[in-house]
Amino acid sequence: MNFYSDNADLQFHLRDGIRWEGFVPAWEDGFRFEDGPRSLDEARELYDACLTEVGEFAAREIAPRAREIDEQGVSFRDGEVVQPPALLANIDGLRRMGVLAPDLPREVGGSNFPFSVGAGVMELIARACTNTMILYAFYQGPAVLILRFGTPEQVDRWVKPLAAGAISGAVAMTEPDAGSDVGAISTAAVPEGGHWRLQGRKQFVTNGCGDVCVVLARSEPGSKGLEGLSLFVVPRKEHGRDNYKVARPERKFVIRGSATCELAFDGACGELLGRRGEGFTAILTFMNEARVGVAIQALGLEQAALAAARGYAEKRVQMGRPIARHELVADMLLDMEAEVAALRALVYRCTALQDRIAGIQRAGGSKAEQVALKRELRDRTPLVKWLGAERALWVARTAVQVHGGYGVVQDYDVERHYRNALILPIYEGTSQIQALMSLKDQARWMMEKATRLVRGPVRVDSPPGELGETLRDMAREYNRALRSALTQSLGAGGLAALAAQAAMGRTVEPDRDRMSYALLCAERLAQMLALTRATEALAAHAHVSSGRRRVAERYARRALPVLRMQGEIVRSGDRSTLEEMRG
């Protein structure tokens, strides 16, 4: 009954797969703090103890309440959002354990743990209950934004109570008429004395009923697009009265225990957070961190679905043997295992990159190394979100199939896992938005140098042998497909001309109409690159044991044909969709 000690793969990544010595000494400023660890070994013991404690609580307390939370759902009484009592009981338990803000500094009530440890905590909670993990994230998430950009007074007023669990928060960006188009935000903020007044509406705000909301609003009259946006800290109550209105939460068939609210700001009083007019730049890092957070949520859900399917298949006897020993079911279970391992490898590759970047920043290290690591993280962020969202759907769907008729019965957890997986490709940027982000970055990097224009932008760290050759084949397939998509969009001459301008230091965005074919291919390309990066992350640890090599080789053997198929479709030049659009 411990979700950490029963998961050898998770233990590997958080004990041996991450090079803690590369950033923990900087994280702890040479282990000089009296209330902190005195050595790397002591720090790692603290991390492991925290994960073990959360793993037990998740298995014994959180998981048994997950179905009750789903059934209770969120209600609306007397103008107030009412969250499931079982959900609040889970949060209260985590509060008493002191793990609501493991990644925040000790001086504001956190544990000063690296992000990788916090990611492990979130994975354990997500495996136990998706709804609990979502609410859990909205204690530390808003606190990070305020800590990063706020004044000392704002940190004292908001970050410390969030870290202690005395209040919860929200982040409001999406609007009814803007959706994924952040540049179309119309909520306005006007200065009044020492404060600001906000006017407008926000939609699909997770935990919008929280005590404080970080709001992205337009502060500069006449500004357009991503310019002129600022962040504001807006308390839900002012002098005992509503500062903004929380409308009835959305009625959803997914994540039923999570309050998804519409907020109405009608002269709400707020405080500027960070620099005026730099709101989008300020929130961009948070958005990318949230996308990794969704991948962690997907990972926990995948692990829950895999454990349920494996447990059922080992007990369910058909035709004289457990169905786990029937070839087709055994094949599904092994594919599920490989999918979970691949996502976990990529997730903790991303969290370790974040930790290394933060460690260098704290130590005042090499700017060049920071730039290289940030580029590597940027490359993988849309991919890990895409992979987690899309493949969690497949893993959960397969768990239902393993259960047969019982898979759609609510007495079994897998139907809930499948429903909850459906939100993953939608929020924090749809899978299609992730694909467009990846395409934009790869195209720009490709045109930075003539050699990349010929060879492609993607290189992989590959081990020797067959696994390494398969991985290199995957990178070649992606580069070939990307080059074809861009060439069919811009023409060989147009692509070369843009590359020449990039070589002179000019940032040139191709006309969108000319890029239509590449945009059409964006999600196929994103899938190809996501599978490549996941295989690379698995291959990095394949030498550790025969079991890890077996999983990596299985995943790679199944991924390469998918890349070849998608590459052939991209290179086919099929423009039928574009022709239909033009009518």
Side-chain angles (χ1 to χ4, degrees):
M1 293 290 291
N2 189 309
F3 284 171
Y4 183 56
S5 61
D6 76 355
N7 191 329
D9 191 45
L10 176 59
Q11 290 179 69
F12 168 79
H13 282 286
L14 291 172
R15 288 176 176 171
D16 305 307
I18 295 173
R19 295 180 57 190
W20 301 105
E21 68 277 8
F23 54 84
V24 171
W27 208 272
E28 291 293 341
D29 198 12
F31 304 106
R32 67 180 183 86
F33 300 111
E34 292 185 2
D35 56 349
R38 309 303 293 185
S39 67
L40 177 62
D41 286 343
E42 188 176 330
R44 294 182 63 179
E45 288 175 6
L46 284 173
Y47 305 158
D48 205 66
C50 173
L51 292 161
T52 301
E53 185 179 6
V54 173
E56 180 173 0
F57 183 76
R60 293 185 179 274
E61 301 289 338
I62 299 178
R65 298 188 182 114
R67 190 179 304 167
E68 181 183 0
I69 291 169
D70 181 70
E71 292 172 351
Q72 289 174 344
V74 178
S75 59
F76 196 64
R77 299 175 198 159
D78 301 323
E80 293 288 337
V81 175
V82 180
Q83 295 173 307
L87 174 67
L88 299 178
N90 287 340
I91 294 297
D92 186 58
L94 294 166
R95 180 190 298 112
R96 285 185 276 105
M97 292 167 63
V99 295
L100 286 181
D103 308 348
L104 292 182
R106 293 187 190 91
E107 57 265 29
V108 297
S111 302
N112 203 48
F113 288 171
F115 180 60
S116 296
V117 180
V121 170
M122 285 197 293
E123 181 188 337
L124 293 168
I125 297 171
R127 174 181 169 184
C129 175
T130 298
N131 291 296
T132 301
M133 181 266 183
I134 295 169
L135 180 54
Y136 171 85
F138 282 90
Y139 288 85
Q140 182 163 290
V144 167
L145 266 175
I146 300 172
L147 179 65
R148 196 172 279 160
F149 301 108
T151 64
E153 292 76 17
Q154 288 171 330
V155 170
D156 281 340
R157 184 180 179 189
W158 300 114
V159 175
K160 291 180 179 179
L162 284 165
I167 62 173
S168 67
V171 179
M173 292 174 48
T174 303
E175 296 184 2
D177 297 324
S180 299
D181 185 2
V182 178
I185 281 177
S186 61
T187 296
V190 178
E192 182 184 283
H195 293 81
W196 291 71
R197 294 290 178 182
L198 277 69
Q199 195 80 32
R201 293 166 60 208
K202 295 290 183 179
Q203 193 175 32
F204 300 138
V205 181
T206 302
N207 197 44
C209 54
D211 301 280
V212 62
C213 191
V214 177
V215 183
L216 186 65
R218 193 164 297 283
S219 60
E220 310 310 306
S223 62
K224 295 181 179 180
L226 302 177
E227 302 295 327
L229 300 173
S230 298
L231 289 178
F232 299 89
V233 181
V234 187
R236 185 164 63 90
K237 300 280 187 180
E238 279 282 283
H239 309 297
R241 295 185 297 178
D242 288 341
N243 190 29
Y244 54 84
K245 183 180 179 182
V246 180
R248 180 184 297 275
E250 303 289 350
R251 298 178 62 190
K252 313 182 300 293
F253 73 98
V254 300
I255 51 172
R256 290 172 174 168
S258 175
T260 305
C261 305
E262 181 177 328
L263 309 182
F265 300 91
D266 186 12
C269 182
E271 299 176 3
L272 182 68
L273 177 63
R275 294 183 178 179
R276 180 171 171 173
E278 297 184 6
F280 180 73
T281 302
I283 207 167
L284 193 57
T285 299
F286 173 82
M287 290 166 63
N288 286 328
E289 290 168 350
R291 285 161 180 159
V292 176
V294 173
I296 295 167
Q297 178 186 340
L299 177 57
L301 191 150
E302 283 188 357
Q303 183 66 45
L306 171 62
R310 184 183 286 147
Y312 180 84
E314 288 171 353
K315 294 178 181 178
R316 176 68 168 170
V317 175
Q318 294 283 279
M319 291 172 271
R321 65 176 66 180
I323 62 172
R325 294 177 59 195
H326 288 264
E327 290 81 359
L328 291 176
V329 175
D331 198 52
M332 286 191 286
L333 292 171
L334 288 173
D335 278 350
M336 292 170 72
E337 177 190 35
E339 289 285 353
V340 176
L343 179 57
R344 183 173 288 117
L346 190 55
V347 161
Y348 289 103
R349 178 78 168 252
C350 290
T351 65
L353 283 168
Q354 288 187 226
D355 286 331
R356 289 172 63 190
I357 293 165
I360 293 170
Q361 290 172 338
R362 293 186 184 199
S366 164
K367 295 290 185 182
E369 187 177 1
Q370 283 188 55
V371 169
L373 292 174
K374 285 180 178 179
R375 173 171 169 172
E376 187 177 346
L377 180 58
R378 183 181 175 103
D379 170 281
R380 286 160 178 77
T381 295
L383 304 176
V384 74
K385 202 279 184 180
W386 187 95
L387 187 74
E390 295 295 331
R391 297 313 290 166
L393 270 173
W394 181 86
V395 170
R397 162 71 180 82
T398 305
V400 171
Q401 189 68 22
V402 169
H403 280 70
Y406 292 111
V408 297
V409 174
Q410 291 186 330
D411 291 341
Y412 290 79
D413 291 336
V414 289
E415 69 86 25
R416 186 180 72 254
H417 298 328
Y418 188 34
R419 280 191 287 108
N420 287 337
L422 289 166
I423 190 60
L424 297 169
I426 296 172
Y427 65 3
E428 298 300 343
T430 65
S431 293
Q432 291 68 43
I433 291 291
Q434 307 309 311
L436 293 172
M437 288 172 56
S438 180
L439 172 63
K440 181 179 179 180
D441 284 344
Q442 299 301 331
R444 186 178 68 251
W445 292 334
M446 183 176 180
M447 290 185 283
E448 282 179 352
K449 292 184 179 180
T451 52
R452 291 189 199 136
L453 196 63
V454 175
R455 299 176 184 174
V458 171
R459 294 287 176 272
V460 289
D461 297 324
S462 55
E466 181 182 348
L467 177 59
E469 184 55 39
T470 301
L471 180 55
R472 289 188 291 274
D473 280 346
M474 293 169 73
R476 284 191 287 266
E477 285 287 341
Y478 174 80
N479 286 328
R480 185 182 171 198
L482 175 64
R483 189 165 52 248
S484 176
L486 293 174
T487 301
Q488 292 189 62
S489 290
L490 302 171
L495 185 58
L498 288 174
Q501 293 182 60
M504 292 187 289
R506 300 175 186 170
T507 302
V508 181
E509 292 289 339
D511 181 75
R512 191 187 188 285
D513 290 338
R514 294 183 64 200
M515 284 286 288
S516 58
Y517 185 74
L519 295 173
L520 177 66
C521 298
E523 191 161 9
R524 298 186 190 281
L525 291 165
Q527 181 182 16
M528 295 174 74
L529 188 53
L531 295 178
T532 301
R533 290 306 189 197
T535 302
E536 180 186 38
L538 276 176
H541 301 296
H543 66 281
V544 172
S545 67
S546 59
R548 303 197 74 81
R549 175 166 290 276
R550 173 186 61 80
V551 172
E553 289 175 345
R554 182 183 185 90
Y555 189 82
R557 281 196 297 267
R558 281 156 171 72
L560 180 56
V562 175
L563 266 81
R564 287 173 174 161
M565 178 192 71
Q566 298 291 23
E568 285 185 12
I569 295 173
V570 171
R571 292 190 298 273
S572 73
D574 180 7
R575 295 175 177 265
S576 57
T577 298
L578 301 177
E579 291 165 2
E580 288 288 335
M581 288 172 61
R582 295 188 185 105

